[in-house]
């Protein structure tokens, strides 16, 4: 056989990008002296690296199906995010801002799991003493949980192989490094290589691994989505520091639905789950306040009532400010343009601030109408009634589009004492809802007319 020609490839240690030429500064991430040579044998035959063994091929219908039994974590909200519990041999990434409660959550889960199976908690951040103290303080069942302070992936896998745990936690993946990658600990290629080795280990030993990942400032885990493709389940912990509520959301799940939401509260005694969260994101002010609107959003398989607050104030800056907490800033800018073009309401000389109560992040476009009506309410200094709920998506032509699960949203609102609803015409119920007056709207102008008639 012809000797394979060695092709040279250069890769950046920091961001993982590859180039055909060396450079002093990485054109992708702008880091200096991070580009190193990587040798790759070029294809020497049409079969590339054929090793002499053939893998079996079978029709998809004849693949033997085995039930994947789920391990319940002891927290039903966490199980819900995982799609019904933890699957053996799976790797779950738990991401979130530092301090949001990832370690606390996993310590609680692991202590409970350790009562029925072998669980190994690997810490690269806190000392075993700190973790043990926390378990004591939270009065967790800590008799059987195994702890290890280690950051080298080879050592972790060797130890895990010896002890054969069924569940392992790596806290955090950013502190891990592997002797097989030459780059500095903490760099993207180290994190990626460490995660790949741990994933390989999980699949071969049928154990479930939780990887804790800190989110970087840009909102990604250790650089641009470098881990998501090798991991089975990716979930993010959200919540801001001034609220005690924490929301966990799956953004990728090979074993279940995504966007299922788990809701928790951080208390002095650790993380507590909230199994009926539908009304926790309401501020419940005693008096109606201008700028406040309540909407029903749909998260995973259940409705949530969420209050949005707007403050519109005269701007003295050249560029008026558009500041949002809980919704995307670009969505707000688009909604303000629609409000101007189709509602005739100008805001170019106004600062607009939007806050979603309770630190929940809203990705759903069904929130559009409530956001716009909260803005007009603040601008006109006219409160919306406290028994009014609003939902509906707004299109660029000023049309109000329907949202999924309209009936269920209305039912939830009625259950919580709401008596009036401004909703898309296509979502209007066929039969009358007892105790609910519905204002079906087709265009933004209809909605603006509806609120001035209230
Ligand atoms: P932690 O789990 O260490 O966060 P992460 O691992 O995501 O960085 O959580 C730390 C925060 O949680 C800290 O700010 C204190 C708070 N906390 C409580 O409020 N109550 C508790 O019982 C515990 C253990 C932590
Ligand atoms: Mg931590």
């Amino acid at each position: 056989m012809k000797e394979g020609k060695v092709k040279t490839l250069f890769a950046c240690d920091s961001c993982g990008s590859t180039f055909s030429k060396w450079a002093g500064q990485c054109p992708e991430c702008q880091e200096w002296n991070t580009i190193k040579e990587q040798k790759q044998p070029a294809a020497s035959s049409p079969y590339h690296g054929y090793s002499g063994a053939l893998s079996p091929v079978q029709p998809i219908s004849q693949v033997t199906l085995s039930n994947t039994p789920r391990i319940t974590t002891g927290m039903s909200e966490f199980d819900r995010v995982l799609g019904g519990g933890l699957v053996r041999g799976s790797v779950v990434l738990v991401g979130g801002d530092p301090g949001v409660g990832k370690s606390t959550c996993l310590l609680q889960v692991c202590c409970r799991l350790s009562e029925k199976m072998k669980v190994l908690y690997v810490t690269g951040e806190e000392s075993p003493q700190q973790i043990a103290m926390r378990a004591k303080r939270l009065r967790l069942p800590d008799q059987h949980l195994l702890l290890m302070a280690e950051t080298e992936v080879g050592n972790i896998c060797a130890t895990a192989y010896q002890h054969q745990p069924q569940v392992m936690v790596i806290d955090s993946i950013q502190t891990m490094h592997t002797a097989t990658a030459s780059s500095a600990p903490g760099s993207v290629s180290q994190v990626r290589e460490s995660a790949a080795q741990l994933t390989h280990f999980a699949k071969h030993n049928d154990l479930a691994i939780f990887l804790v990942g800190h989110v970087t400032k840009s909102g990604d885990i250790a650089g641009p989505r470098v881990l998501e493709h090798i991991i089975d389940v990716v979930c993010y912990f959200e919540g801001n520091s001034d609220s005690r509520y924490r929301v966990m959301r799956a953004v990728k799940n090979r074993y279940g639905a995504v966007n299922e939401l788990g809701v928790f509260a951080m208390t002095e005694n650790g993380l507590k789950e909230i199994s009926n969260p539908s009304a926790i994101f309401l501020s419940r002010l005693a008096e109606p306040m201008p700028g406040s609107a309540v909407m029903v959003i749909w998260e995973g398989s259940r409705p949530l009532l969420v209050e949005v607050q707007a403050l519109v104030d005269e701007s003295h800056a050249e560029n008026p400010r558009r500041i949002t907490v809980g919704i995307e800033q670009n969505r707000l800018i688009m909604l303000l343009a629609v409000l101007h073009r189709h509602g005739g309401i100008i805001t170019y000389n106004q600062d607009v601030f939007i806050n979603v109560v309770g630190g929940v992040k809203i990705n759903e476009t069904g929130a559009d109408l409530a956001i716009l009506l909260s803005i007009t309410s603040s601008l006109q200094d006219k409160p919306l009634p406290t028994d009014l709920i609003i939902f509906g998506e707004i299109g660029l032509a000023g049309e109000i589009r329907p949202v999924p699960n309209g009936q269920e949203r209305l039912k939830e609102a009625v259950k919580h004492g709401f008596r009036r609803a401004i909703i898309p015409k296509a979502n209007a119920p066929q039969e009358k809802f007892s105790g609910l007056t519905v204002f079906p709207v087709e265009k933004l102008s209809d909605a603006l007319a509806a609120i001035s008639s209230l």
Side-chain angles (χ1 to χ4, degrees), residues 283-312:
S283 67
R284 298 255 184 228
L285 297 169
E287 294 197 359
M289 296 290 281
S292 158
V294 179
M295 58 192 160
V296 194
I297 58 167
W298 195 263
E299 287 290 355
S301 56
R302 60 186 175 186
L304 274 184
L305 295 165
V306 179
E307 179 176 334
V308 59
Q309 297 175 329
L311 178 69
V312 181

Side-chain angles (χ1 to χ4, degrees), residues 97-104 121 125-126 134 171-172 212 214:
D97 290 332
V100 73
K102 304 179 292 295
S103 305
T104 308
Y121 192 110
E125 284 187 357
E126 292 165 289
R134 184 184 292 173
D171 190 358
S172 66
V212 172
H214 295 295

Side-chain angles (χ1 to χ4, degrees), residues 40-78:
Q40 291 195 334
S44 56
S45 76
Y47 308 122
H48 296 278
Y50 176 53
S51 65
L54 290 175
S55 304
V57 174
Q58 58 183 328
I60 187 168
S61 56
Q62 281 163 29
V63 176
T64 31
L65 301 178
S66 60
N67 273 353
T68 40
R70 304 264 181 169
I71 306 169
T72 58
T73 60
M75 277 192 173
S76 57
E77 288 293 296
F78 199 4

